[in-house]
Amino acid sequence: MRSIIDSPKLPTTTRFCLRTLALLGLALAMSACSLFHHKRDNIDTMPVDVLYKKAHVSLENADYSAAIKDYQRLIARFPAGDYNEQAQLELTYAQYKDAQWEDAYSTINRFIKADSSNKHIDYAYYLRGLINFDRTTGFMDKVSRDKQAQSRRDQGYNLQSFDDFAELSRRFPNSAYAADARQRMIYLRNVLAQYEVNVAEFYLFNRVYVGAADRAQYVIEHYQQAPQTGDALAILTRSYLALKEDKLADQTRQVLALNYPDHPYLKDPTWPHEVAKWRKMVPFMRHH
């Protein structure tokens, strides 16, 4: 079949131009296809050190999406060796910075389980602690800068984070990450203590005095150095009074006065005060 370009009805000059354009288009298409395949083949055959450098540059430039893809390609192509180990750690960090909490947690868990004696295992525990540490705080908490927001959330991740930092501090007390881990543990301890105090207050306000006493006692026993211990002693005193345990109440109040002489309960026996319901409905209003 004769093409339109070869039709005798078209002038010679027109047919020549059409052939030229067609050949030019075909050449461009072949060139683009060749370039695409060359680029793909280049990435798939890239040496491990070059591929690692490419991923690392993306990480340093905060291009986490590109870094994640390159690290994953490196790990798949080179399943062993120093570059693989470093790529797993940096992949975890890229996923962590990109707020891909579950992926980051899975990646670092695989690293820890694969070789618990790895020379970078202290950093792995530190990184796992960071992942859980940061994913408890929501966006609105950061916007409102409410320091007690975390204590009103589920504490599962905070507990895991505390355990990771504790493991790091116990096993590697001289690690470069141990000092920061210990500071984060203090913060988490106070958050966990405040959470228990919040629950104790809830029980107290709803006249579930046994529950309030149990929660307050838990704070006293498990978070002795937390500043919330004073609040727990005050709640425990009020709970004992409500339960007609006057002797226990008097003993607890004496402990409070000895250790926290400026606590507001000592001047106001109705402390803590229940927050008005309308205040609980106001966004960013501190409830405790």
Side-chain angles (χ1 to χ4, degrees), residues 87-159:
Q88 289 186 62
L89 293 173
E90 294 185 18
L91 170 60
T92 301
Y93 183 76
Q95 292 169 328
Y96 157 69
K97 295 294 290 184
D98 204 37
Q100 297 183 23
W101 312 119
E102 293 299 332
D103 290 341
Y105 194 71
S106 296
T107 302
I108 203 62
N109 268 343
R110 286 194 297 270
F111 181 91
I112 292 173
K113 290 178 180 179
D115 186 4
S116 60
S117 61
N118 187 280
K119 61 183 178 181
H120 300 301
I121 198 67
D122 60 332
Y123 177 66
Y125 279 113
Y126 177 70
L127 196 51
R128 190 167 74 172
L130 281 182
I131 293 166
N132 286 317
F133 184 88
D134 281 355
R135 66 172 166 176
T136 301
T137 304
F139 172 75
M140 295 308 296
D141 297 337
K142 294 178 181 178
V143 172
S144 66
R145 297 183 180 180
D146 186 348
K147 293 182 180 180
Q148 294 196 23
Q150 280 204 34
S151 67
R152 293 195 293 270
R153 291 180 173 271
D154 179 82
Q155 297 303 299
Y157 293 138
N158 280 339
L159 285 167

Side-chain angles (χ1 to χ4, degrees), residues 62-265:
D63 188 355
Y64 301 122
S65 178
I68 289 170
K69 292 178 181 177
D70 289 338
Y71 284 128
Q72 289 174 333
R73 183 178 291 109
L74 186 154
I75 293 168
R77 287 185 54 205
F78 306 97
D82 292 340
Y83 279 107
N84 177 282
E85 292 177 358
Q86 190 64 26
Q88 289 186 62
L89 293 173
E90 294 185 18
L91 170 60
T92 301
Y93 183 76
Q95 292 169 328
Y96 157 69
K97 295 294 290 184
D98 204 37
Q100 297 183 23
W101 312 119
E102 293 299 332
D103 290 341
Y105 194 71
S106 296
T107 302
I108 203 62
N109 268 343
R110 286 194 297 270
F111 181 91
I112 292 173
K113 290 178 180 179
D115 186 4
S116 60
S117 61
N118 187 280
K119 61 183 178 181
H120 300 301
I121 198 67
D122 60 332
Y123 177 66
Y125 279 113
Y126 177 70
L127 196 51
R128 190 167 74 172
L130 281 182
I131 293 166
N132 286 317
F133 184 88
D134 281 355
R135 66 172 166 176
T136 301
T137 304
F139 172 75
M140 295 308 296
D141 297 337
K142 294 178 181 178
V143 172
S144 66
R145 297 183 180 180
D146 186 348
K147 293 182 180 180
Q148 294 196 23
Q150 280 204 34
S151 67
R152 293 195 293 270
R153 291 180 173 271
D154 179 82
Q155 297 303 299
Y157 293 138
N158 280 339
L159 285 167
Q160 290 180 29
S161 180
F162 187 93
D163 288 344
D164 289 327
F165 290 137
E167 181 77 1
L168 167 62
S169 299
R170 182 182 64 82
R171 293 182 57 187
F172 310 99
N174 298 320
S175 168
Y177 311 102
D180 184 72
R182 284 190 285 269
Q183 289 300 312
R184 291 177 185 273
M185 286 175 65
I186 292 173
Y187 172 82
L188 288 169
R189 177 204 65 191
N190 295 344
V191 169
L192 292 167
Q194 185 61 55
Y195 175 82
E196 296 296 335
V197 167
N198 291 348
V199 177
E201 286 185 1
F202 174 82
Y203 285 141
L204 183 68
F205 298 148
N206 287 277
R207 297 178 175 80
V208 185
Y209 300 118
V210 173
D214 286 344
R215 289 289 182 148
Q217 189 66 44
Y218 184 87
V219 174
I220 296 166
E221 292 177 356
H222 292 83
Y223 306 112
Q224 295 179 5
Q225 296 180 324
Q228 289 80 7
T229 303
D231 295 348
L233 286 166
I235 294 172
L236 184 58
T237 302
R238 283 193 57 179
S239 299
Y240 281 150
L241 288 172
L243 293 169
K244 307 300 182 183
E245 297 285 351
D246 295 345
K247 184 177 180 179
L248 290 174
D250 184 62
Q251 292 174 349
T252 306
R253 190 182 187 284
Q254 289 181 36
V255 174
L256 174 63
L258 179 64
N259 292 277
Y260 302 91
D262 297 323
H263 196 277
Y265 175 77

